[in-house]
Amino acid sequence: MAEVGYGLLLTTFGVGGLVGTGIAARTGRPPWSWRPPRPPPGVPSPSPDESTEVDMLPDELRAALDKAVSGYSPQDLSDSVARLTESYRTGTRGGAHIRSRADIAAYAAYRMPATYAAAATAMRQAATLTPGFRPRTHLDVGGGTGAAIWAADQTWGSIEQVTVIEHDPHIIDLGKRLARTSESLRGATWRQASVRPGLDRPPADLVTMSYALGELPRAERREVVGWLAADAAMVIVVEPGTPAGYATLAEAREVLAARGLTIVAPCPHDGRCPIVPGRDWCHFSVRLPRSSLHRRIKAGTLSFEDEKFSYVAATTAPAERAAARILRHPVKRKGVVSLRLCTGEDAVSDVIVSKRQGDLYRAARDADWGDAWPRTE
């Protein structure tokens, strides 16, 4: 079998709103490095230990993924990715499409970097607004190969006990092999179980569920979200950035707010979502560069792909709150920037920031889709 290095299969990526490899040209840092963006005026800055530069794909994880795909030919991986891509696009995601060890390796190569990036973005947005939250325990539900536990470890660095619940034993096996390469994650507990309301689970400060809630029967989702929130200081749920994924998140958000948790991100309020279903949906994006080999096995021609995702983060911990959240790419023209905002007044509004507004205008020029914004007028 021809060997395929993961370093070639998927290059690493930038995160933080929508960030591409242009970060290297702008900052002189390598494109796989990420630094939390400087918040605009009025939005609290992260504490010094949370604002240091972070490698978005840890070296241990990159090397472990390299090893996981090294025994398979590009054609084996390409065939598996084609099946997984079709199932993902048609909304029939799930373990039924993972038939072999090659499929599992392809699943990790195809989806783990994107789910990692989405989870990391959601976590960092939440962490910025809850600077005093330092979780020691983490429960990841429907955790797959463990993208969220790697993202949480990189985001907080305070987690001492990790539990992953995943139903597929072969995916668990790969997740364990990946986690064993990390000093902080090798002691994680992996539990084979199907997620259902009332499943026995350990208490945890941080509870996450990424790209899994929408796979459950709709009748069970609200109860599962309530189960996630039981005894948790923070709950983060991530879903695909599609109308269906947003609808799943909107329902989860209602449950979390009804249980008394503060919606800390992306929403600047706890009220009803102002976006009208069927007209628009709340979602964000992370850009992942592709290598030539990655393009070949995925039958792609572009040098990058954009992972669209929706998320909600809710907490019982003390939290700051942004005045607004940027819902679309800022439209930047000479002397003005147009922003579409979700505001603290439970509304969606369009604002124009002009060059006459000085610091605010400069912040708008640097702002990205998904960033917090300090003003609504």
Side-chain angles (χ1 to χ4, degrees), residues 250-275:
E251 188 174 37
R253 181 184 180 281
E254 289 180 2
V255 174
L256 294 169
R259 291 184 67 94
L261 280 73
T262 298
I263 308 300
V264 68
C267 318
H269 59 85
D270 293 325
R272 186 175 183 84
C273 179
I275 295 176

Side-chain angles (χ1 to χ4, degrees), residues 5 24 70 181 289:
S70 64
T181 65

Side-chain angles (χ1 to χ4, degrees), residues 62-364:
R62 185 186 301 112
L65 283 167
D66 186 34
K67 185 175 181 180
V69 301
S70 64
Y72 303 99
S73 71
Q75 188 61 52
D76 286 342
L77 294 169
S78 180
D79 291 345
S80 293
V81 164
R83 286 195 302 272
L84 291 166
T85 300
E86 182 61 23
S87 68
Y88 186 77
R89 286 176 177 167
T90 57
T92 54
R93 312 184 313 277
H97 300 277
I98 299 176
R99 305 169 184 170
S100 66
R101 292 190 180 277
D103 283 350
I104 293 169
Y107 165 78
Y110 165 52
R111 288 303 303 159
M112 192 174 184
T115 56
Y116 177 100
T121 302
M123 290 174 185
R124 286 190 173 87
Q125 292 288 357
T128 296
L129 295 172
T130 55
F133 178 62
R134 306 292 293 172
R136 298 182 65 181
T137 53
H138 179 196
L139 171 65
D140 187 33
V141 177
T145 51
I149 66 173
W150 285 87
D153 183 59
Q154 292 292 300
T155 301
W156 282 285
S158 58
I159 298 172
E160 300 173 357
Q161 182 179 335
V162 175
T163 302
V164 181
I165 297 176
E166 166 58 43
H167 74 93
D168 189 303
H170 302 297
I171 290 178
I172 288 175
D173 178 66
L174 177 56
K176 284 181 174 180
R177 284 188 280 129
L178 298 176
R180 277 197 289 266
T181 65
S182 166
E183 183 176 350
S184 54
L185 296 176
R186 63 175 56 118
T189 298
W190 294 74
R191 180 180 172 190
Q192 184 186 350
S194 295
V195 178
R196 63 181 187 278
L199 179 69
D200 181 51
R201 46 148 285 196
D205 300 328
L206 173 67
V207 178
T208 56
M209 192 172 192
S210 301
Y211 294 81
L213 183 61
E215 295 183 354
L216 300 180
R218 184 166 186 175
E220 296 182 2
R221 294 176 194 170
R222 295 183 72 92
E223 194 172 351
V224 165
V225 174
W227 170 78
L228 294 176
D231 302 318
M234 181 176 288
V235 177
I236 299 176
V237 184
V238 183
E239 282 291 306
T242 61
Y246 161 70
T248 299
L249 259 297
E251 188 174 37
R253 181 184 180 281
E254 289 180 2
V255 174
L256 294 169
R259 291 184 67 94
L261 280 73
T262 298
I263 308 300
V264 68
C267 318
H269 59 85
D270 293 325
R272 186 175 183 84
C273 179
I275 295 176
V276 178
R279 294 186 184 177
D280 201 355
W281 69 98
C282 182
H283 65 291
F284 305 96
S285 184
V286 175
R287 178 159 289 182
L288 290 76
R290 291 172 174 168
S291 69
S292 60
L293 180 56
H294 186 203
R295 292 196 298 271
R296 188 162 69 249
I297 71 164
K298 292 189 68 175
T301 57
L302 296 176
S303 61
F304 64 89
E305 63 182 78
D306 292 331
E307 174 67 10
K308 305 291 176 55
F309 66 99
S310 297
Y311 76 98
V312 63
T315 186
T316 61
E320 304 288 345
R321 177 161 275 169
R325 180 77 56 181
I326 301 173
L327 295 181
R328 286 289 180 270
H329 288 298
V331 179
K332 301 171 184 179
R333 299 186 295 271
K334 186 176 181 180
V336 296
V337 180
S338 300
L339 302 175
R340 171 154 289 189
L341 304 174
C342 179
T343 73
E345 291 75 37
D346 306 355
V348 174
S349 64
D350 294 305
V351 302
I352 294 178
V353 183
S354 73
K355 195 171 185 178
R356 293 192 304 272
Q357 292 172 273
D359 288 345
L360 197 67
Y361 171 74
R362 285 186 284 275

